[in-house]
Structure formats: structure tokens, C-alpha cells
Amino acid sequence: MFTFSSIREYHKALLTGSISCRETVSLYLERINRFSHLNAFIAVYAEEALSAADRLDQERKSGCQSGKLHGVVIGIKDVLCYRDHPVTASSKILEGFNPLYNATAVEWLLNQGAIIIGHLNCDEFAMGSSNENSVYGRVKNALNYDLVPGGSSGGSAVAVQAGLCMISLGSDTGGSVRQPADFCGVVGLKPTYGRVSRYGLIAYASSFDQIGIFGTNIPDVALVLEVISGFDGRDSTSSRQTVPEYSRGIQEPASIYRIAVLKEAMEHPSLDPEIREQLSRFTEQLKAAGHLVEEISFDLLDFIVPAYYVLTTAEASSNLSRFDGVRYGTRTADPEAGYPGFYRKTRSEGFGKEVKRRILLGTFVLSSGYYEAYFTRAQQVRKILTDRTRLIFNQFDIILTPTVPTTAFRAGEKMTDPVAMYLADLYTVYANLVGIPGISLPLFQHSNGMPFGIQAMTNRFQELSLLRFSKELMQQYKSYETPTL
Ligand code: GLN
């Protein structure tokens, strides 16, 4: 029986003929079916995936196996455009919308022989931390159905967690890849802002959004990053920096790293005491292994969640104004609505509660009387954070923090308290505010049985060093045993 361990092993199995792409896709389809109660997928492209598999099997038979991701089975978050496949951002307002083009990341996956198996559930317009704000209903954590998988890319995390695909793409505006990766016990990478083109990614907060990757191991994540990174003329914020061969680069021997641990992050009152204790023990181990580990003061921590929510809601209020019932998706069916009432009616009916809350908050912080008090000040915080980050990376290679203050929480627990929900983003939004890459590594297990991760960040465009470091950590220090589901 084929069990997936890594893309490399899968490719070996394909070459020896012990498995075919068709058999692989069939196995995944069968699992997706078996685990449909997790609600991770909102659309499965079974026929297409099977015929892509046949085409690839044929290619291999004729001796021309092409593509770094030949036959790799990938799920994509429902905010990524895949030509002629409905995309809705898990919102009623986009019901029936069919994109006319592929997101660049999706296109580049396909060019390398990947098989897109379906679209994955998420929080509406990627706003949330628990995947409970979805028109398709909540996603369940495969380890305990009463718990949330995290969000907003909850479906993407669970799809990898439960072995429903090999790799998935999510988006990360404030932690939406790293936080669900932490809650589900998988690897989640958010690259540097500008590393991966955002063309074809439905915008939430454009100066924060970045496509991220979920996987079970570092070499797979490195390979996928290598494929989707690079300059794209259709996204003016995508970077022209050359893309290293991450998959090869990570094979070089590990080095000694200068690691900064943020003191205020480790001492924060919201941090679960057991997570604190295990992470402290872990940093001692790193020291013992010869790394230079230093606890540094980071007194800006309490400003980052407020700054994030001011700036992202401001950007969201502008980005989401395009959903007006004229250009995309659904329009109110009420014939009485008239003009301009149908705008209001369409938006009232089409957006969920959290999205409305954020549009209102965003227009408020941008309104003339409050602009200086909120938006401008939050921009100032962003600038101060960026300057401080530069100073830290003058002295250190890596910043380490917990990924999330707690393990996965119960469904419904934070739905009536948005501020409590927002505070769960304490450690992740920093990387988006300053545009640096961050990864969550599933190294630990809590006594409550759930996994939790550690977050590592490097300076901008230092993904290679981040991945190399991560690979070493996963090899040396992973105490979380991934269960077979
Ligand atoms: N939880 C954060 C929010 O609700 C992050 C979302 C994201 O990264 N898309 O905004």
C-alpha cells in the first residue's frame, strides 16, 4: 500500500513503477471521500485530476517525465483562481463566480506537472483564525473534531494533516498559514512579501497578503517554494530577486545560527505555561548544540495586533468595495431593491458578519476625523517595527517565538469575542507587518494531546537559510509523533 512520505520518495516509486499517478490520485480521492466530514474541501476535481494523472503516466511511459512536481497532488485554498473553476473566498457574495485566468502560483504549479485536486475551505475572504467564518460551515481538526483547525486556511491545513493531498497552498495575511499549521501539526511557510506573485489571489489586505505552503516536511515545502517564487509582470509587488534552488540549497550541511528569542513573547501572559516551558527547554537544547541563543527585549509586542487590525481592515474596506453585485458573483434577488439600493442589499446579503465588521472598522479608521488617530499611527508603528527588525537582523540570523499562544481551541469558544480571537494572532502578524518570511514547525506535543509549533523568522528573502534551519530542527528536535489517520 502506498503511503506518502515525501515528493522525492513518491517520484522514486513512480519511476520504479510501483505506483502510477492514476493509482495515487484514486487513493487520494478515496480518502477525500472518507474524510468528507472534516469539511476541508469545498470542490473536488476528480475527473480532471484522473485525466491529468493519465496524461502524466503516459508521459512517463514514453520516457519524458517532465516537471519538478510531476504528479504531485495539491489542494488550493478557495481564494486562488484556477481557470474555469468557481472560486468564492468561502463567501456567498462570490457564488457562481468563475475566474477567467489562473493565479500565477497555480499556473506555475501546473507547468511543473502538479495535479490540482480541489479547492479548500477557509474563512470568508481569509478573515479569521478558526475557519468558522465560512459560508460552507466550519472545518474540523482531524485530531479532535470538537476543536478548530485554525484559520483562515483551515481547509488547507487539514487537507495535509489528514493526508487528503500531498501539499496545499494557503494565503497568509497575518498568520493564516502558520497558525493552522501549528494547530494541525504540519509545516506552514509564509514567504517574504513579494517572493510569490499575488496575481490571481483574491485580495484581503494587499500590503500584507502572501501565498504560503503547507506540507509534511521541509524538502517538499522547499521544492514547491522554488516553483511558485519569482518575478511576475502581472504583480508589480513581486520581487526581481533571483530565486535560489531551495530544494538543492537545503541539502548543504547545517551551520551554527545566531538566534534571537523575543523575551516579551516568551513572557506574555496569554502564553500557555506548558508551551512556555517546553519552548524554554528547547532553546536550552539549541544552546547546548552550539547555537548562539540570546533572549532580547522586544517591547513593541503589544502594539502589533492593534496596528495589524487597523491597517488590514483599512485595506480590506477598499479591496472589498469591488464586490458590489455588478462585476462579480451574486446580486440580490430582491426586485424592489432598485438603484442604488441593490448595492446595499447585495452586500448586506452577501457578506458574513466578520467581513462586515472589518469593512466597517476599516472605513472608520480611514474616515477624515479618525485617520490621523488610527491609520497614521498604525503606519508609524509599522515603520518603527521595520526599523527595529533591521537592527535585530544586523545581529541575528533567526528570530524564534511561539507560533500561537495556545493549542487548538474549541469550536465556538471565541466566536462571540472577536478581540479574544484577534489576540490569538499575537505572534504571527509581526512577520506580515514587516514583510519577512516565517515558518511554523510541528515539533512539540502538549499534555492535552495536541501538537504545537515553533515559529522561526529570518530577514527578507532569506528563505534558504530559514528552510535549512527548519530542516535541521525537524530532523533533530521533532518530538511530536504525527499520527496515522
Ligand atoms: N487571523 C488573522 C485575521 O483574521 C489572519 C488572517 C490571514 O492571515 N488571512 O486577519
Side-chain angles (χ1 to χ4, degrees), residues 77 126-129 151-152 171-176 204 308-309 358 425:
K77 183 176 180 179
M127 298 176 186
S129 306
S152 64
S171 66
D172 189 313
T173 304
S176 278
Y204 158 16
Y308 167 83
Y309 277 95
R358 294 194 190 198
D425 301 332

Side-chain angles (χ1 to χ4, degrees), residues 102-315:
N102 286 328
T104 299
V106 172
E107 176 105 3
W108 290 359
L109 291 177
L110 292 168
N111 289 347
Q112 291 298 327
I115 298 174
I116 307 291
I117 194 129
H119 263 117
L120 295 158
N121 203 343
C122 60
D123 280 300
E124 186 178 3
F125 286 101
M127 298 176 186
S129 306
S130 62
N131 215 137
E132 291 169 289
N133 307 322
S134 164
V135 73
Y136 306 105
R138 78 176 183 95
V139 176
K140 292 178 181 148
N141 192 313
L143 293 170
N144 179 337
Y145 297 168
D146 296 331
L147 304 183
V148 302
S152 64
S153 316
S156 303
V158 169
V160 169
Q161 177 194 38
L164 313 182
C165 55
M166 298 172 180
I167 288 282
S168 65
L169 292 190
S171 66
D172 189 313
T173 304
S176 278
V177 167
R178 290 159 287 153
Q179 186 255 22
D182 174 287
F183 280 7
C184 293
V186 299
V187 176
L189 169 73
K190 179 203 92 75
T192 306
Y193 182 77
R195 180 71 299 182
V196 179
S197 167
R198 291 179 297 112
Y199 181 75
L201 165 68
I202 296 176
Y204 158 16
S206 309
S207 76
F208 292 74
D209 296 342
Q210 185 62 194
I211 293 171
I213 305 164
F214 291 91
T216 57
N217 62 79
I218 299 300
D220 285 2
V221 171
L223 182 64
V224 173
L225 181 67
E226 182 176 310
V227 168
I228 65 174
S229 293
F231 176 70
D232 174 21
R234 291 167 298 187
D235 171 8
S236 61
T237 63
S238 73
S239 169
R240 287 181 187 272
Q241 290 231 13
T242 41
V243 179
E245 255 189 275
Y246 299 113
S247 57
R248 208 156 53 95
I250 56 163
Q251 289 169 25
E252 274 160 44
S255 45
I256 296 297
Y257 294 90
R258 297 168 302 167
I259 302 166
V261 177
L262 305 185
K263 183 164 173 284
E264 284 75 3
M266 292 298 286
E267 288 172 1
H268 201 274
S270 68
L271 180 61
D272 176 289
E274 192 181 321
I275 296 183
R276 177 182 304 128
E277 201 189 295
Q278 285 205 44
L279 293 188
S280 305
R281 238 182 293 137
F282 169 67
T283 54
E284 289 307 316
Q285 284 178 299
L286 289 177
K287 264 187 215 165
H291 297 290
L292 183 117
V293 185
E294 209 178 296
E295 202 164 81
I296 61 164
S297 172
F298 191 75
D299 53 0
L300 299 166
L301 192 66
D302 284 333
F303 297 100
I304 64 176
V305 169
Y308 167 83
Y309 277 95
V310 168
L311 295 173
T312 52
T313 54
E315 292 188 23

